[in-house]
Every structure is written in C-alpha cells, then in structure tokens.
PDB file of all heavy atoms in Angstrom:
ATOM      1  N   ASN A 554      -0.421   4.828   6.450  1.00 98.00           N
ATOM      2  CA  ASN A 554      -0.541   6.107   5.760  1.00 98.00           C
ATOM      3  C   ASN A 554       0.514   6.120   4.666  1.00 98.00           C
ATOM      4  O   ASN A 554       1.710   5.990   4.945  1.00 98.00           O
ATOM      5  CB  ASN A 554      -0.320   7.281   6.704  1.00 98.00           C
ATOM      6  CG  ASN A 554      -1.422   7.413   7.726  1.00 98.00           C
ATOM      7  OD1 ASN A 554      -2.548   6.965   7.515  1.00 98.00           O
ATOM      8  ND2 ASN A 554      -1.111   8.016   8.854  1.00 98.00           N
ATOM      9  N   VAL A 555       0.059   6.263   3.437  1.00 98.00           N
ATOM     10  CA  VAL A 555       0.949   6.271   2.279  1.00 98.00           C
ATOM     11  C   VAL A 555       1.044   7.702   1.778  1.00 98.00           C
ATOM     12  O   VAL A 555       0.043   8.291   1.350  1.00 98.00           O
ATOM     13  CB  VAL A 555       0.410   5.343   1.165  1.00 98.00           C
ATOM     14  CG1 VAL A 555       1.337   5.358  -0.029  1.00 98.00           C
ATOM     15  CG2 VAL A 555       0.197   3.929   1.691  1.00 98.00           C
ATOM     16  N   HIS A 556       2.229   8.270   1.850  1.00 98.00           N
ATOM     17  CA  HIS A 556       2.445   9.650   1.420  1.00 98.00           C
ATOM     18  C   HIS A 556       2.802   9.656  -0.070  1.00 98.00           C
ATOM     19  O   HIS A 556       3.652   8.895  -0.523  1.00 98.00           O
ATOM     20  CB  HIS A 556       3.573  10.293   2.238  1.00 98.00           C
ATOM     21  CG  HIS A 556       3.220  10.410   3.688  1.00 98.00           C
ATOM     22  ND1 HIS A 556       2.832  11.592   4.264  1.00 98.00           N
ATOM     23  CD2 HIS A 556       3.166   9.469   4.674  1.00 98.00           C
ATOM     24  CE1 HIS A 556       2.564  11.383   5.547  1.00 98.00           C
ATOM     25  NE2 HIS A 556       2.765  10.105   5.809  1.00 98.00           N
ATOM     26  N   LEU A 557       2.135  10.528  -0.803  1.00 97.00           N
ATOM     27  CA  LEU A 557       2.296  10.611  -2.251  1.00 97.00           C
ATOM     28  C   LEU A 557       1.889  11.994  -2.717  1.00 97.00           C
ATOM     29  O   LEU A 557       1.396  12.799  -1.935  1.00 97.00           O
ATOM     30  CB  LEU A 557       1.423   9.558  -2.935  1.00 97.00           C
ATOM     31  CG  LEU A 557      -0.104   9.793  -2.886  1.00 97.00           C
ATOM     32  CD1 LEU A 557      -0.768   9.078  -4.026  1.00 97.00           C
ATOM     33  CD2 LEU A 557      -0.688   9.317  -1.577  1.00 97.00           C
ATOM     34  N   GLU A 558       2.078  12.228  -3.970  1.00 93.00           N
ATOM     35  CA  GLU A 558       1.595  13.459  -4.605  1.00 93.00           C
ATOM     36  C   GLU A 558       0.442  13.049  -5.524  1.00 93.00           C
ATOM     37  O   GLU A 558       0.658  12.363  -6.510  1.00 93.00           O
ATOM     38  CB  GLU A 558       2.707  14.146  -5.398  1.00 93.00           C
ATOM     39  CG  GLU A 558       2.290  15.404  -6.101  1.00 93.00           C
ATOM     40  CD  GLU A 558       1.658  16.421  -5.162  1.00 93.00           C
ATOM     41  OE1 GLU A 558       2.314  16.833  -4.191  1.00 93.00           O
ATOM     42  OE2 GLU A 558       0.480  16.794  -5.406  1.00 93.00           O
ATOM     43  N   SER A 559      -0.763  13.468  -5.189  1.00 92.00           N
ATOM     44  CA  SER A 559      -1.932  12.995  -5.939  1.00 92.00           C
ATOM     45  C   SER A 559      -2.530  14.039  -6.881  1.00 92.00           C
ATOM     46  O   SER A 559      -3.557  13.784  -7.506  1.00 92.00           O
ATOM     47  CB  SER A 559      -3.012  12.498  -4.975  1.00 92.00           C
ATOM     48  OG  SER A 559      -3.564  13.574  -4.250  1.00 92.00           O
ATOM     49  N   SER A 560      -1.886  15.189  -7.027  1.00 92.00           N
ATOM     50  CA  SER A 560      -2.492  16.232  -7.862  1.00 92.00           C
ATOM     51  C   SER A 560      -2.610  15.805  -9.326  1.00 92.00           C
ATOM     52  O   SER A 560      -3.575  16.159 -10.003  1.00 92.00           O
ATOM     53  CB  SER A 560      -1.724  17.541  -7.740  1.00 92.00           C
ATOM     54  OG  SER A 560      -0.386  17.372  -8.158  1.00 92.00           O
ATOM     55  N   ASN A 561      -1.645  15.032  -9.841  1.00 91.00           N
ATOM     56  CA  ASN A 561      -1.742  14.558 -11.230  1.00 91.00           C
ATOM     57  C   ASN A 561      -2.965  13.669 -11.401  1.00 91.00           C
ATOM     58  O   ASN A 561      -3.687  13.769 -12.394  1.00 91.00           O
ATOM     59  CB  ASN A 561      -0.490  13.796 -11.645  1.00 91.00           C
ATOM     60  CG  ASN A 561       0.701  14.707 -11.842  1.00 91.00           C
ATOM     61  OD1 ASN A 561       0.543  15.920 -11.977  1.00 91.00           O
ATOM     62  ND2 ASN A 561       1.884  14.130 -11.841  1.00 91.00           N
ATOM     63  N   ALA A 562      -3.200  12.786 -10.435  1.00 93.00           N
ATOM     64  CA  ALA A 562      -4.350  11.887 -10.506  1.00 93.00           C
ATOM     65  C   ALA A 562      -5.657  12.681 -10.413  1.00 93.00           C
ATOM     66  O   ALA A 562      -6.635  12.363 -11.094  1.00 93.00           O
ATOM     67  CB  ALA A 562      -4.286  10.848  -9.402  1.00 93.00           C
ATOM     68  N   ALA A 563      -5.658  13.701  -9.597  1.00 92.00           N
ATOM     69  CA  ALA A 563      -6.870  14.515  -9.463  1.00 92.00           C
ATOM     70  C   ALA A 563      -7.213  15.200 -10.784  1.00 92.00           C
ATOM     71  O   ALA A 563      -8.383  15.337 -11.134  1.00 92.00           O
ATOM     72  CB  ALA A 563      -6.694  15.542  -8.355  1.00 92.00           C
ATOM     73  N   THR A 564      -6.178  15.609 -11.515  1.00 95.00           N
ATOM     74  CA  THR A 564      -6.386  16.262 -12.791  1.00 95.00           C
ATOM     75  C   THR A 564      -6.757  15.273 -13.895  1.00 95.00           C
ATOM     76  O   THR A 564      -7.691  15.487 -14.659  1.00 95.00           O
ATOM     77  CB  THR A 564      -5.120  17.037 -13.207  1.00 95.00           C
ATOM     78  OG1 THR A 564      -4.818  17.984 -12.170  1.00 95.00           O
ATOM     79  CG2 THR A 564      -5.311  17.760 -14.523  1.00 95.00           C
ATOM     80  N   SER A 565      -6.033  14.152 -13.943  1.00 96.00           N
ATOM     81  CA  SER A 565      -6.238  13.183 -15.025  1.00 96.00           C
ATOM     82  C   SER A 565      -7.399  12.224 -14.751  1.00 96.00           C
ATOM     83  O   SER A 565      -7.939  11.641 -15.682  1.00 96.00           O
ATOM     84  CB  SER A 565      -4.976  12.355 -15.232  1.00 96.00           C
ATOM     85  OG  SER A 565      -4.776  11.465 -14.134  1.00 96.00           O
ATOM     86  N   ASP A 566      -7.738  12.024 -13.487  1.00 96.00           N
ATOM     87  CA  ASP A 566      -8.756  11.059 -13.065  1.00 96.00           C
ATOM     88  C   ASP A 566      -8.379   9.653 -13.498  1.00 96.00           C
ATOM     89  O   ASP A 566      -9.233   8.815 -13.789  1.00 96.00           O
ATOM     90  CB  ASP A 566     -10.141  11.447 -13.607  1.00 96.00           C
ATOM     91  CG  ASP A 566     -11.269  10.757 -12.852  1.00 96.00           C
ATOM     92  OD1 ASP A 566     -11.089  10.446 -11.651  1.00 96.00           O
ATOM     93  OD2 ASP A 566     -12.322  10.496 -13.467  1.00 96.00           O
ATOM     94  N   ALA A 567      -7.068   9.375 -13.508  1.00 96.00           N
ATOM     95  CA  ALA A 567      -6.557   8.085 -13.961  1.00 96.00           C
ATOM     96  C   ALA A 567      -5.866   7.348 -12.813  1.00 96.00           C
ATOM     97  O   ALA A 567      -4.994   7.917 -12.133  1.00 96.00           O
ATOM     98  CB  ALA A 567      -5.587   8.266 -15.111  1.00 96.00           C
ATOM     99  N   LEU A 568      -6.229   6.105 -12.611  1.00 95.00           N
ATOM    100  CA  LEU A 568      -5.624   5.291 -11.565  1.00 95.00           C
ATOM    101  C   LEU A 568      -4.118   5.167 -11.754  1.00 95.00           C
ATOM    102  O   LEU A 568      -3.360   5.102 -10.775  1.00 95.00           O
ATOM    103  CB  LEU A 568      -6.283   3.894 -11.542  1.00 95.00           C
ATOM    104  CG  LEU A 568      -5.809   2.921 -10.479  1.00 95.00           C
ATOM    105  CD1 LEU A 568      -6.036   3.488  -9.073  1.00 95.00           C
ATOM    106  CD2 LEU A 568      -6.535   1.594 -10.630  1.00 95.00           C
ATOM    107  N   ALA A 569      -3.670   5.175 -12.988  1.00 94.00           N
ATOM    108  CA  ALA A 569      -2.236   5.047 -13.270  1.00 94.00           C
ATOM    109  C   ALA A 569      -1.424   6.213 -12.710  1.00 94.00           C
ATOM    110  O   ALA A 569      -0.214   6.094 -12.545  1.00 94.00           O
ATOM    111  CB  ALA A 569      -2.009   4.947 -14.776  1.00 94.00           C
ATOM    112  N   ASP A 570      -2.087   7.322 -12.369  1.00 94.00           N
ATOM    113  CA  ASP A 570      -1.378   8.501 -11.864  1.00 94.00           C
ATOM    114  C   ASP A 570      -1.380   8.597 -10.349  1.00 94.00           C
ATOM    115  O   ASP A 570      -1.035   9.644  -9.789  1.00 94.00           O
ATOM    116  CB  ASP A 570      -2.009   9.771 -12.449  1.00 94.00           C
ATOM    117  CG  ASP A 570      -1.697   9.921 -13.923  1.00 94.00           C
ATOM    118  OD1 ASP A 570      -0.662   9.388 -14.370  1.00 94.00           O
ATOM    119  OD2 ASP A 570      -2.498  10.573 -14.631  1.00 94.00           O
ATOM    120  N   THR A 571      -1.768   7.520  -9.675  1.00 96.00           N
ATOM    121  CA  THR A 571      -1.770   7.532  -8.225  1.00 96.00           C
ATOM    122  C   THR A 571      -1.309   6.172  -7.711  1.00 96.00           C
ATOM    123  O   THR A 571      -0.905   5.308  -8.478  1.00 96.00           O
ATOM    124  CB  THR A 571      -3.167   7.887  -7.657  1.00 96.00           C
ATOM    125  OG1 THR A 571      -3.052   8.103  -6.249  1.00 96.00           O
ATOM    126  CG2 THR A 571      -4.188   6.813  -7.945  1.00 96.00           C
ATOM    127  N   VAL A 572      -1.364   5.985  -6.410  1.00 97.00           N
ATOM    128  CA  VAL A 572      -1.044   4.713  -5.784  1.00 97.00           C
ATOM    129  C   VAL A 572      -2.374   3.982  -5.568  1.00 97.00           C
ATOM    130  O   VAL A 572      -3.285   4.524  -4.953  1.00 97.00           O
ATOM    131  CB  VAL A 572      -0.301   4.922  -4.447  1.00 97.00           C
ATOM    132  CG1 VAL A 572      -0.070   3.601  -3.739  1.00 97.00           C
ATOM    133  CG2 VAL A 572       1.024   5.647  -4.691  1.00 97.00           C
ATOM    134  N   ASN A 573      -2.459   2.776  -6.061  1.00 98.00           N
ATOM    135  CA  ASN A 573      -3.671   1.983  -5.955  1.00 98.00           C
ATOM    136  C   ASN A 573      -3.795   1.434  -4.531  1.00 98.00           C
ATOM    137  O   ASN A 573      -3.012   0.582  -4.126  1.00 98.00           O
ATOM    138  CB  ASN A 573      -3.627   0.846  -6.978  1.00 98.00           C
ATOM    139  CG  ASN A 573      -4.895   0.038  -7.029  1.00 98.00           C
ATOM    140  OD1 ASN A 573      -5.631  -0.054  -6.063  1.00 98.00           O
ATOM    141  ND2 ASN A 573      -5.127  -0.583  -8.173  1.00 98.00           N
ATOM    142  N   TYR A 574      -4.779   1.927  -3.782  1.00 98.00           N
ATOM    143  CA  TYR A 574      -4.896   1.506  -2.389  1.00 98.00           C
ATOM    144  C   TYR A 574      -5.281   0.040  -2.240  1.00 98.00           C
ATOM    145  O   TYR A 574      -4.983  -0.584  -1.222  1.00 98.00           O
ATOM    146  CB  TYR A 574      -5.827   2.412  -1.590  1.00 98.00           C
ATOM    147  CG  TYR A 574      -7.208   2.633  -2.161  1.00 98.00           C
ATOM    148  CD1 TYR A 574      -8.195   1.666  -2.053  1.00 98.00           C
ATOM    149  CD2 TYR A 574      -7.512   3.828  -2.791  1.00 98.00           C
ATOM    150  CE1 TYR A 574      -9.452   1.893  -2.555  1.00 98.00           C
ATOM    151  CE2 TYR A 574      -8.778   4.052  -3.307  1.00 98.00           C
ATOM    152  CZ  TYR A 574      -9.752   3.078  -3.186  1.00 98.00           C
ATOM    153  OH  TYR A 574     -11.005   3.294  -3.692  1.00 98.00           O
ATOM    154  N   ALA A 575      -5.889  -0.549  -3.256  1.00 98.00           N
ATOM    155  CA  ALA A 575      -6.188  -1.989  -3.210  1.00 98.00           C
ATOM    156  C   ALA A 575      -4.882  -2.798  -3.253  1.00 98.00           C
ATOM    157  O   ALA A 575      -4.757  -3.826  -2.567  1.00 98.00           O
ATOM    158  CB  ALA A 575      -7.102  -2.388  -4.349  1.00 98.00           C
ATOM    159  N   VAL A 576      -3.919  -2.351  -4.021  1.00 98.00           N
ATOM    160  CA  VAL A 576      -2.612  -3.005  -4.083  1.00 98.00           C
ATOM    161  C   VAL A 576      -1.920  -2.866  -2.736  1.00 98.00           C
ATOM    162  O   VAL A 576      -1.334  -3.832  -2.220  1.00 98.00           O
ATOM    163  CB  VAL A 576      -1.752  -2.425  -5.224  1.00 98.00           C
ATOM    164  CG1 VAL A 576      -0.323  -2.926  -5.150  1.00 98.00           C
ATOM    165  CG2 VAL A 576      -2.379  -2.747  -6.577  1.00 98.00           C
ATOM    166  N   VAL A 577      -1.995  -1.682  -2.126  1.00 98.00           N
ATOM    167  CA  VAL A 577      -1.397  -1.470  -0.809  1.00 98.00           C
ATOM    168  C   VAL A 577      -2.024  -2.435   0.207  1.00 98.00           C
ATOM    169  O   VAL A 577      -1.329  -3.100   0.964  1.00 98.00           O
ATOM    170  CB  VAL A 577      -1.562  -0.001  -0.352  1.00 98.00           C
ATOM    171  CG1 VAL A 577      -1.118   0.169   1.101  1.00 98.00           C
ATOM    172  CG2 VAL A 577      -0.791   0.932  -1.263  1.00 98.00           C
ATOM    173  N   ALA A 578      -3.345  -2.522   0.201  1.00 98.00           N
ATOM    174  CA  ALA A 578      -4.033  -3.412   1.142  1.00 98.00           C
ATOM    175  C   ALA A 578      -3.594  -4.851   0.962  1.00 98.00           C
ATOM    176  O   ALA A 578      -3.357  -5.574   1.942  1.00 98.00           O
ATOM    177  CB  ALA A 578      -5.545  -3.276   0.976  1.00 98.00           C
ATOM    178  N   ASP A 579      -3.465  -5.291  -0.283  1.00 98.00           N
ATOM    179  CA  ASP A 579      -3.016  -6.664  -0.550  1.00 98.00           C
ATOM    180  C   ASP A 579      -1.591  -6.898  -0.046  1.00 98.00           C
ATOM    181  O   ASP A 579      -1.295  -7.936   0.554  1.00 98.00           O
ATOM    182  CB  ASP A 579      -3.086  -6.982  -2.044  1.00 98.00           C
ATOM    183  CG  ASP A 579      -4.500  -7.204  -2.547  1.00 98.00           C
ATOM    184  OD1 ASP A 579      -5.404  -7.456  -1.722  1.00 98.00           O
ATOM    185  OD2 ASP A 579      -4.705  -7.105  -3.774  1.00 98.00           O
ATOM    186  N   LEU A 580      -0.709  -5.939  -0.278  1.00 98.00           N
ATOM    187  CA  LEU A 580       0.676  -6.072   0.200  1.00 98.00           C
ATOM    188  C   LEU A 580       0.723  -6.182   1.717  1.00 98.00           C
ATOM    189  O   LEU A 580       1.471  -6.990   2.268  1.00 98.00           O
ATOM    190  CB  LEU A 580       1.520  -4.885  -0.262  1.00 98.00           C
ATOM    191  CG  LEU A 580       1.880  -4.814  -1.730  1.00 98.00           C
ATOM    192  CD1 LEU A 580       2.577  -3.490  -2.053  1.00 98.00           C
ATOM    193  CD2 LEU A 580       2.763  -5.978  -2.125  1.00 98.00           C
ATOM    194  N   VAL A 581      -0.058  -5.357   2.388  1.00 98.00           N
ATOM    195  CA  VAL A 581      -0.101  -5.393   3.854  1.00 98.00           C
ATOM    196  C   VAL A 581      -0.626  -6.749   4.322  1.00 98.00           C
ATOM    197  O   VAL A 581      -0.012  -7.409   5.171  1.00 98.00           O
ATOM    198  CB  VAL A 581      -0.981  -4.242   4.403  1.00 98.00           C
ATOM    199  CG1 VAL A 581      -1.236  -4.429   5.898  1.00 98.00           C
ATOM    200  CG2 VAL A 581      -0.336  -2.894   4.124  1.00 98.00           C
ATOM    201  N   HIS A 582      -1.744  -7.176   3.763  1.00 98.00           N
ATOM    202  CA  HIS A 582      -2.365  -8.435   4.188  1.00 98.00           C
ATOM    203  C   HIS A 582      -1.435  -9.637   3.950  1.00 98.00           C
ATOM    204  O   HIS A 582      -1.339 -10.528   4.816  1.00 98.00           O
ATOM    205  CB  HIS A 582      -3.703  -8.637   3.469  1.00 98.00           C
ATOM    206  CG  HIS A 582      -4.491  -9.749   4.022  1.00 98.00           C
ATOM    207  ND1 HIS A 582      -4.602 -10.965   3.387  1.00 98.00           N
ATOM    208  CD2 HIS A 582      -5.191  -9.854   5.188  1.00 98.00           C
ATOM    209  CE1 HIS A 582      -5.362 -11.763   4.115  1.00 98.00           C
ATOM    210  NE2 HIS A 582      -5.719 -11.133   5.209  1.00 98.00           N
ATOM    211  N   GLU A 583      -0.750  -9.632   2.824  1.00 98.00           N
ATOM    212  CA  GLU A 583       0.197 -10.725   2.535  1.00 98.00           C
ATOM    213  C   GLU A 583       1.269 -10.839   3.611  1.00 98.00           C
ATOM    214  O   GLU A 583       1.683 -11.941   3.962  1.00 98.00           O
ATOM    215  CB  GLU A 583       0.859 -10.493   1.174  1.00 98.00           C
ATOM    216  CG  GLU A 583      -0.045 -10.734  -0.014  1.00 98.00           C
ATOM    217  CD  GLU A 583       0.563 -10.246  -1.321  1.00 98.00           C
ATOM    218  OE1 GLU A 583       1.755  -9.836  -1.341  1.00 98.00           O
ATOM    219  OE2 GLU A 583      -0.152 -10.263  -2.337  1.00 98.00           O
ATOM    220  N   ARG A 584       1.708  -9.718   4.138  1.00 98.00           N
ATOM    221  CA  ARG A 584       2.749  -9.746   5.158  1.00 98.00           C
ATOM    222  C   ARG A 584       2.187 -10.103   6.541  1.00 98.00           C
ATOM    223  O   ARG A 584       2.882 -10.671   7.355  1.00 98.00           O
ATOM    224  CB  ARG A 584       3.516  -8.434   5.179  1.00 98.00           C
ATOM    225  CG  ARG A 584       4.629  -8.496   4.135  1.00 98.00           C
ATOM    226  CD  ARG A 584       4.736  -7.262   3.274  1.00 98.00           C
ATOM    227  NE  ARG A 584       5.592  -7.555   2.118  1.00 98.00           N
ATOM    228  CZ  ARG A 584       5.114  -7.943   0.935  1.00 98.00           C
ATOM    229  NH1 ARG A 584       3.826  -8.112   0.743  1.00 98.00           N
ATOM    230  NH2 ARG A 584       5.931  -8.192  -0.067  1.00 98.00           N
ATOM    231  N   ILE A 585       0.923  -9.803   6.777  1.00 98.00           N
ATOM    232  CA  ILE A 585       0.306 -10.216   8.032  1.00 98.00           C
ATOM    233  C   ILE A 585       0.170 -11.736   8.070  1.00 98.00           C
ATOM    234  O   ILE A 585       0.510 -12.378   9.066  1.00 98.00           O
ATOM    235  CB  ILE A 585      -1.080  -9.559   8.220  1.00 98.00           C
ATOM    236  CG1 ILE A 585      -0.967  -8.047   8.406  1.00 98.00           C
ATOM    237  CG2 ILE A 585      -1.801 -10.195   9.424  1.00 98.00           C
ATOM    238  CD1 ILE A 585      -2.314  -7.328   8.403  1.00 98.00           C
ATOM    239  N   ILE A 586      -0.327 -12.325   7.002  1.00 98.00           N
ATOM    240  CA  ILE A 586      -0.604 -13.764   6.999  1.00 98.00           C
ATOM    241  C   ILE A 586       0.574 -14.596   6.514  1.00 98.00           C
ATOM    242  O   ILE A 586       0.527 -15.826   6.557  1.00 98.00           O
ATOM    243  CB  ILE A 586      -1.864 -14.089   6.168  1.00 98.00           C
ATOM    244  CG1 ILE A 586      -1.641 -13.793   4.686  1.00 98.00           C
ATOM    245  CG2 ILE A 586      -3.083 -13.354   6.708  1.00 98.00           C
ATOM    246  CD1 ILE A 586      -2.738 -14.342   3.779  1.00 98.00           C
ATOM    247  N   GLY A 587       1.626 -13.948   6.068  1.00 98.00           N
ATOM    248  CA  GLY A 587       2.754 -14.633   5.442  1.00 98.00           C
ATOM    249  C   GLY A 587       3.740 -15.228   6.434  1.00 98.00           C
ATOM    250  O   GLY A 587       3.411 -15.564   7.568  1.00 98.00           O
ATOM    251  N   GLU A 588       4.964 -15.347   5.977  1.00 97.00           N
ATOM    252  CA  GLU A 588       6.046 -15.974   6.729  1.00 97.00           C
ATOM    253  C   GLU A 588       6.159 -15.408   8.140  1.00 97.00           C
ATOM    254  O   GLU A 588       6.299 -14.208   8.328  1.00 97.00           O
ATOM    255  CB  GLU A 588       7.368 -15.749   5.983  1.00 97.00           C
ATOM    256  CG  GLU A 588       8.543 -16.475   6.564  1.00 97.00           C
ATOM    257  CD  GLU A 588       8.459 -17.984   6.386  1.00 97.00           C
ATOM    258  OE1 GLU A 588       7.848 -18.434   5.399  1.00 97.00           O
ATOM    259  OE2 GLU A 588       8.992 -18.703   7.252  1.00 97.00           O
ATOM    260  N   PRO A 589       6.081 -16.278   9.158  1.00 98.00           N
ATOM    261  CA  PRO A 589       6.163 -15.793  10.545  1.00 98.00           C
ATOM    262  C   PRO A 589       7.508 -15.150  10.872  1.00 98.00           C
ATOM    263  O   PRO A 589       8.556 -15.601  10.400  1.00 98.00           O
ATOM    264  CB  PRO A 589       5.964 -17.064  11.371  1.00 98.00           C
ATOM    265  CG  PRO A 589       5.277 -18.019  10.475  1.00 98.00           C
ATOM    266  CD  PRO A 589       5.795 -17.714   9.090  1.00 98.00           C
ATOM    267  N   VAL A 590       7.439 -14.125  11.686  1.00 98.00           N
ATOM    268  CA  VAL A 590       8.625 -13.465  12.231  1.00 98.00           C
ATOM    269  C   VAL A 590       8.420 -13.320  13.732  1.00 98.00           C
ATOM    270  O   VAL A 590       7.313 -13.485  14.246  1.00 98.00           O
ATOM    271  CB  VAL A 590       8.872 -12.082  11.575  1.00 98.00           C
ATOM    272  CG1 VAL A 590       9.147 -12.235  10.082  1.00 98.00           C
ATOM    273  CG2 VAL A 590       7.705 -11.132  11.814  1.00 98.00           C
ATOM    274  N   ASP A 591       9.469 -12.999  14.447  1.00 98.00           N
ATOM    275  CA  ASP A 591       9.372 -12.901  15.899  1.00 98.00           C
ATOM    276  C   ASP A 591       8.701 -11.602  16.359  1.00 98.00           C
ATOM    277  O   ASP A 591       7.914 -11.611  17.295  1.00 98.00           O
ATOM    278  CB  ASP A 591      10.757 -12.971  16.543  1.00 98.00           C
ATOM    279  CG  ASP A 591      11.350 -14.377  16.518  1.00 98.00           C
ATOM    280  OD1 ASP A 591      10.599 -15.350  16.264  1.00 98.00           O
ATOM    281  OD2 ASP A 591      12.570 -14.487  16.742  1.00 98.00           O
ATOM    282  N   LEU A 592       9.024 -10.485  15.719  1.00 98.00           N
ATOM    283  CA  LEU A 592       8.686  -9.171  16.269  1.00 98.00           C
ATOM    284  C   LEU A 592       7.734  -8.382  15.368  1.00 98.00           C
ATOM    285  O   LEU A 592       7.840  -8.444  14.130  1.00 98.00           O
ATOM    286  CB  LEU A 592       9.956  -8.340  16.470  1.00 98.00           C
ATOM    287  CG  LEU A 592      11.025  -8.955  17.374  1.00 98.00           C
ATOM    288  CD1 LEU A 592      12.260  -8.062  17.377  1.00 98.00           C
ATOM    289  CD2 LEU A 592      10.492  -9.171  18.782  1.00 98.00           C
ATOM    290  N   ILE A 593       6.883  -7.564  16.015  1.00 98.00           N
ATOM    291  CA  ILE A 593       6.032  -6.675  15.227  1.00 98.00           C
ATOM    292  C   ILE A 593       6.882  -5.605  14.534  1.00 98.00           C
ATOM    293  O   ILE A 593       6.476  -5.074  13.505  1.00 98.00           O
ATOM    294  CB  ILE A 593       4.872  -6.058  16.037  1.00 98.00           C
ATOM    295  CG1 ILE A 593       5.352  -5.244  17.226  1.00 98.00           C
ATOM    296  CG2 ILE A 593       3.896  -7.133  16.464  1.00 98.00           C
ATOM    297  CD1 ILE A 593       4.232  -4.522  17.985  1.00 98.00           C
ATOM    298  N   GLU A 594       8.055  -5.333  15.058  1.00 98.00           N
ATOM    299  CA  GLU A 594       8.966  -4.413  14.389  1.00 98.00           C
ATOM    300  C   GLU A 594       9.330  -4.935  12.995  1.00 98.00           C
ATOM    301  O   GLU A 594       9.415  -4.168  12.039  1.00 98.00           O
ATOM    302  CB  GLU A 594      10.245  -4.226  15.219  1.00 98.00           C
ATOM    303  CG  GLU A 594      10.060  -3.407  16.481  1.00 98.00           C
ATOM    304  CD  GLU A 594       9.575  -4.222  17.689  1.00 98.00           C
ATOM    305  OE1 GLU A 594       9.149  -5.393  17.528  1.00 98.00           O
ATOM    306  OE2 GLU A 594       9.608  -3.678  18.801  1.00 98.00           O
ATOM    307  N   THR A 595       9.533  -6.243  12.889  1.00 98.00           N
ATOM    308  CA  THR A 595       9.887  -6.850  11.615  1.00 98.00           C
ATOM    309  C   THR A 595       8.703  -6.830  10.664  1.00 98.00           C
ATOM    310  O   THR A 595       8.866  -6.549   9.464  1.00 98.00           O
ATOM    311  CB  THR A 595      10.387  -8.292  11.828  1.00 98.00           C
ATOM    312  OG1 THR A 595      11.461  -8.274  12.784  1.00 98.00           O
ATOM    313  CG2 THR A 595      10.893  -8.901  10.517  1.00 98.00           C
TER     314      THR A 595
END
C-alpha cells in the first residue's frame, strides 16, 4: 500500500502528478528476485 496525495493527478489527469504503480511493481519484483537475504524482514 503506497500512501500519497492523488488529488493533483485527479485534476490534471497526468501520470507525472502521481506515483506510477508500474514502477512500484517493478521495484518490488526486483527485490523479490534480486540479491538473496536471510530474512523476510530484510
């Protein structure tokens, strides 16, 4: 869950005014498949 203020994006209808959820998904996936760590906390 990514907390943000999206009212500007709702008004402008511009991706630049919000957080791109595709970028978030890529960041998450990179860390799942990336460098191994011991703990899910990490």
Side-chain angles (χ1 to χ4, degrees):
N554 292 336
V555 180
H556 296 257
L557 70 156
E558 179 55 58
S559 68
S560 60
N561 288 343
T564 302
S565 70
D566 198 29
L568 182 59
D570 289 334
T571 190
V572 175
N573 185 333
Y574 53 78
V576 171
V577 172
D579 286 342
L580 288 173
V581 170
H582 190 256
E583 287 169 7
R584 275 134 194 94
I585 293 172
I586 66 169
E588 187 69 30
V590 297
D591 287 345
L592 302 176
I593 59 175
E594 288 85 347
T595 306

